[in-house]
Amino acid sequence: MAAAAALAAAETPPAMPQATGAGGPTARRDFYWLRSFLAGGVFSALRAVPQKEGYLGLYKGNGAMMIRIFPYGAIQFMAFEHYKTLITTKLGVSGHVHRLMAGSMAGMTAVICTYPLDMVRVRLAFQVKGEHTYTGIIHAFKTIYAKEGGFLGFYRGLMPTILGMAPYAGVSFFTFGTLKSVGLSHAPTLLGRPSSDNPNVLVLKTHINLLCGGVAGAIAQTISYPFDVTRRRMQLGTVLPEFEKCLTMRETMKYVYGHHGIRKGLYRGLSLNYIRCIPSQAVAFTTYELMKQFFHLN
């Protein structure tokens, strides 16, 4: 929750550059942020949004994100601990591998449980001032349900999300856990301190936690980003002029790669996502470690 509130402004634009159209009436509308992004990159787009819609334009879809992020984070970290125990006791898998497996499964579990809210968030964030299709969260839910196939309409793009979340969450937990383990093993005095709830247990210092969480987020985001681009395009659905060519994950990835390539297609907007995910993951993992001490879980 803390990470979501702090990073809300950076969450709005990523859906925009990733979802660029290739023609048609929708693409010719006043997508000012698209022209700014193509002309000057991420920071140009960030300047253009407040100029056109005010600073509140940077927070479009933030309500849905805040409603989503609380159960998402809770489910992910709770599921991680349960899966980690299950994998260790039932499958006999230990070491660093069980973090990768448990993290992947926890990420997929959290995504499936909160995906409809993520769908609504993306739709609200993509709207252009003066051309709003949805008036708010409730209206977006009702419209998607009525016009896009009922309940299944909320799960459009779920498959690339799951395929992207598995490596993203897995690598995040794996990297953070490995960095923590290696750091405390090789430099316990420099990097660690006694846990506040159990002096016999060493934990990372807060600023080291932030650093390890940020590194974990950056590595995980780089690996899974093409799936994130695919997911956002599929979530936007009829908002995009080329939506009929992006009905499945395979079609969407093929379309993006064929028209925009790798750097300007599958990895478009990655720099802005670093600005979002690195501090977000840093705060998330640090908060997780602090809460474990607060609730005496060490």
Side-chain angles (χ1 to χ4, degrees), residues 17 20 37 256 260-269:
T20 55
F37 178 79
V256 173
H260 305 290
I262 295 178
R263 188 173 67 86
K264 294 185 177 181
L266 295 175
Y267 278 91
R268 183 174 218 150

PDB file of all heavy atoms in Angstrom, residues 17 20 37 256 260-269:
ATOM      1  N   PRO A  17       2.484   4.702 -23.727  1.00  0.00           N
ATOM      2  CA  PRO A  17       3.441   4.446 -24.787  1.00  0.00           C
ATOM      3  C   PRO A  17       3.412   3.003 -25.267  1.00  0.00           C
ATOM      4  O   PRO A  17       3.679   2.741 -26.428  1.00  0.00           O
ATOM      5  CB  PRO A  17       4.795   4.775 -24.146  1.00  0.00           C
ATOM      6  CG  PRO A  17       4.562   4.789 -22.686  1.00  0.00           C
ATOM      7  CD  PRO A  17       3.147   5.202 -22.513  1.00  0.00           C
ATOM      8  N   THR A  20       0.531   2.256 -28.285  1.00  0.00           N
ATOM      9  CA  THR A  20       0.466   3.152 -29.420  1.00  0.00           C
ATOM     10  C   THR A  20      -0.200   2.492 -30.600  1.00  0.00           C
ATOM     11  O   THR A  20       0.053   1.354 -30.936  1.00  0.00           O
ATOM     12  CB  THR A  20       1.876   3.602 -29.852  1.00  0.00           C
ATOM     13  OG1 THR A  20       2.671   2.453 -30.090  1.00  0.00           O
ATOM     14  CG2 THR A  20       2.509   4.459 -28.790  1.00  0.00           C
ATOM     15  N   PHE A  37       5.729  11.530 -26.186  1.00  0.00           N
ATOM     16  CA  PHE A  37       6.605  10.383 -25.899  1.00  0.00           C
ATOM     17  C   PHE A  37       7.503  10.089 -27.091  1.00  0.00           C
ATOM     18  O   PHE A  37       8.704   9.868 -26.951  1.00  0.00           O
ATOM     19  CB  PHE A  37       5.756   9.157 -25.566  1.00  0.00           C
ATOM     20  CG  PHE A  37       6.575   7.914 -25.310  1.00  0.00           C
ATOM     21  CD1 PHE A  37       7.202   7.722 -24.100  1.00  0.00           C
ATOM     22  CD2 PHE A  37       6.718   6.965 -26.301  1.00  0.00           C
ATOM     23  CE1 PHE A  37       7.954   6.598 -23.855  1.00  0.00           C
ATOM     24  CE2 PHE A  37       7.477   5.828 -26.076  1.00  0.00           C
ATOM     25  CZ  PHE A  37       8.092   5.647 -24.847  1.00  0.00           C
ATOM     26  N   VAL A 256       2.967  -6.646 -32.320  1.00  0.00           N
ATOM     27  CA  VAL A 256       3.880  -5.663 -31.741  1.00  0.00           C
ATOM     28  C   VAL A 256       5.282  -5.831 -32.311  1.00  0.00           C
ATOM     29  O   VAL A 256       5.937  -4.853 -32.697  1.00  0.00           O
ATOM     30  CB  VAL A 256       3.908  -5.789 -30.204  1.00  0.00           C
ATOM     31  CG1 VAL A 256       4.977  -4.879 -29.611  1.00  0.00           C
ATOM     32  CG2 VAL A 256       2.548  -5.442 -29.618  1.00  0.00           C
ATOM     33  N   HIS A 260       6.689  -2.899 -34.623  1.00  0.00           N
ATOM     34  CA  HIS A 260       7.538  -1.996 -33.839  1.00  0.00           C
ATOM     35  C   HIS A 260       8.883  -2.600 -33.445  1.00  0.00           C
ATOM     36  O   HIS A 260       9.734  -1.879 -32.923  1.00  0.00           O
ATOM     37  CB  HIS A 260       6.795  -1.553 -32.572  1.00  0.00           C
ATOM     38  CG  HIS A 260       5.462  -0.924 -32.838  1.00  0.00           C
ATOM     39  ND1 HIS A 260       5.319   0.320 -33.416  1.00  0.00           N
ATOM     40  CD2 HIS A 260       4.197  -1.377 -32.626  1.00  0.00           C
ATOM     41  CE1 HIS A 260       4.033   0.610 -33.536  1.00  0.00           C
ATOM     42  NE2 HIS A 260       3.336  -0.405 -33.067  1.00  0.00           N
ATOM     43  N   GLY A 261       9.069  -3.902 -33.656  1.00  0.00           N
ATOM     44  CA  GLY A 261      10.333  -4.527 -33.306  1.00  0.00           C
ATOM     45  C   GLY A 261      10.468  -4.801 -31.821  1.00  0.00           C
ATOM     46  O   GLY A 261       9.481  -4.826 -31.087  1.00  0.00           O
ATOM     47  N   ILE A 262      11.681  -4.996 -31.373  1.00  0.00           N
ATOM     48  CA  ILE A 262      11.926  -5.331 -29.972  1.00  0.00           C
ATOM     49  C   ILE A 262      12.070  -4.081 -29.112  1.00  0.00           C
ATOM     50  O   ILE A 262      11.332  -3.881 -28.150  1.00  0.00           O
ATOM     51  CB  ILE A 262      13.198  -6.207 -29.845  1.00  0.00           C
ATOM     52  CG1 ILE A 262      12.969  -7.552 -30.546  1.00  0.00           C
ATOM     53  CG2 ILE A 262      13.544  -6.425 -28.368  1.00  0.00           C
ATOM     54  CD1 ILE A 262      14.174  -8.462 -30.531  1.00  0.00           C
ATOM     55  N   ARG A 263      13.010  -3.203 -29.476  1.00  0.00           N
ATOM     56  CA  ARG A 263      13.292  -2.030 -28.633  1.00  0.00           C
ATOM     57  C   ARG A 263      12.123  -1.066 -28.581  1.00  0.00           C
ATOM     58  O   ARG A 263      11.774  -0.566 -27.506  1.00  0.00           O
ATOM     59  CB  ARG A 263      14.542  -1.308 -29.132  1.00  0.00           C
ATOM     60  CG  ARG A 263      15.016  -0.184 -28.210  1.00  0.00           C
ATOM     61  CD  ARG A 263      16.358   0.365 -28.675  1.00  0.00           C
ATOM     62  NE  ARG A 263      16.260   1.041 -29.942  1.00  0.00           N
ATOM     63  CZ  ARG A 263      15.916   2.331 -30.089  1.00  0.00           C
ATOM     64  NH1 ARG A 263      15.646   3.059 -29.021  1.00  0.00           N
ATOM     65  NH2 ARG A 263      15.866   2.881 -31.271  1.00  0.00           N
ATOM     66  N   LYS A 264      11.493  -0.793 -29.717  1.00  0.00           N
ATOM     67  CA  LYS A 264      10.388   0.164 -29.761  1.00  0.00           C
ATOM     68  C   LYS A 264       9.023  -0.514 -29.680  1.00  0.00           C
ATOM     69  O   LYS A 264       7.999   0.165 -29.780  1.00  0.00           O
ATOM     70  CB  LYS A 264      10.473   1.000 -31.043  1.00  0.00           C
ATOM     71  CG  LYS A 264      11.688   1.911 -31.095  1.00  0.00           C
ATOM     72  CD  LYS A 264      11.661   2.811 -32.316  1.00  0.00           C
ATOM     73  CE  LYS A 264      12.839   3.782 -32.322  1.00  0.00           C
ATOM     74  NZ  LYS A 264      12.813   4.684 -33.500  1.00  0.00           N
ATOM     75  N   GLY A 265       9.017  -1.822 -29.514  1.00  0.00           N
ATOM     76  CA  GLY A 265       7.759  -2.545 -29.422  1.00  0.00           C
ATOM     77  C   GLY A 265       7.642  -3.315 -28.123  1.00  0.00           C
ATOM     78  O   GLY A 265       6.974  -2.881 -27.182  1.00  0.00           O
ATOM     79  N   LEU A 266       8.314  -4.451 -28.049  1.00  0.00           N
ATOM     80  CA  LEU A 266       8.210  -5.321 -26.880  1.00  0.00           C
ATOM     81  C   LEU A 266       8.835  -4.708 -25.626  1.00  0.00           C
ATOM     82  O   LEU A 266       8.499  -5.105 -24.506  1.00  0.00           O
ATOM     83  CB  LEU A 266       8.857  -6.673 -27.181  1.00  0.00           C
ATOM     84  CG  LEU A 266       8.174  -7.510 -28.270  1.00  0.00           C
ATOM     85  CD1 LEU A 266       8.973  -8.773 -28.554  1.00  0.00           C
ATOM     86  CD2 LEU A 266       6.746  -7.867 -27.861  1.00  0.00           C
ATOM     87  N   TYR A 267       9.773  -3.757 -25.816  1.00  0.00           N
ATOM     88  CA  TYR A 267      10.403  -3.127 -24.655  1.00  0.00           C
ATOM     89  C   TYR A 267      10.132  -1.625 -24.603  1.00  0.00           C
ATOM     90  O   TYR A 267      10.850  -0.883 -23.932  1.00  0.00           O
ATOM     91  CB  TYR A 267      11.911  -3.398 -24.644  1.00  0.00           C
ATOM     92  CG  TYR A 267      12.243  -4.747 -24.058  1.00  0.00           C
ATOM     93  CD1 TYR A 267      12.341  -5.873 -24.871  1.00  0.00           C
ATOM     94  CD2 TYR A 267      12.423  -4.909 -22.690  1.00  0.00           C
ATOM     95  CE1 TYR A 267      12.619  -7.123 -24.336  1.00  0.00           C
ATOM     96  CE2 TYR A 267      12.714  -6.144 -22.141  1.00  0.00           C
ATOM     97  CZ  TYR A 267      12.810  -7.244 -22.963  1.00  0.00           C
ATOM     98  OH  TYR A 267      13.088  -8.483 -22.427  1.00  0.00           O
ATOM     99  N   ARG A 268       9.087  -1.182 -25.276  1.00  0.00           N
ATOM    100  CA  ARG A 268       8.749   0.241 -25.271  1.00  0.00           C
ATOM    101  C   ARG A 268       8.233   0.649 -23.889  1.00  0.00           C
ATOM    102  O   ARG A 268       7.378  -0.005 -23.313  1.00  0.00           O
ATOM    103  CB  ARG A 268       7.680   0.522 -26.317  1.00  0.00           C
ATOM    104  CG  ARG A 268       7.325   1.988 -26.421  1.00  0.00           C
ATOM    105  CD  ARG A 268       6.373   2.247 -27.569  1.00  0.00           C
ATOM    106  NE  ARG A 268       6.698   3.487 -28.226  1.00  0.00           N
ATOM    107  CZ  ARG A 268       6.480   3.734 -29.508  1.00  0.00           C
ATOM    108  NH1 ARG A 268       5.978   2.796 -30.280  1.00  0.00           N
ATOM    109  NH2 ARG A 268       6.785   4.902 -30.024  1.00  0.00           N
ATOM    110  N   GLY A 269       8.738   1.749 -23.382  1.00  0.00           N
ATOM    111  CA  GLY A 269       8.312   2.238 -22.070  1.00  0.00           C
ATOM    112  C   GLY A 269       9.033   1.595 -20.909  1.00  0.00           C
ATOM    113  O   GLY A 269       8.691   1.838 -19.748  1.00  0.00           O
TER     114      GLY A 269
END
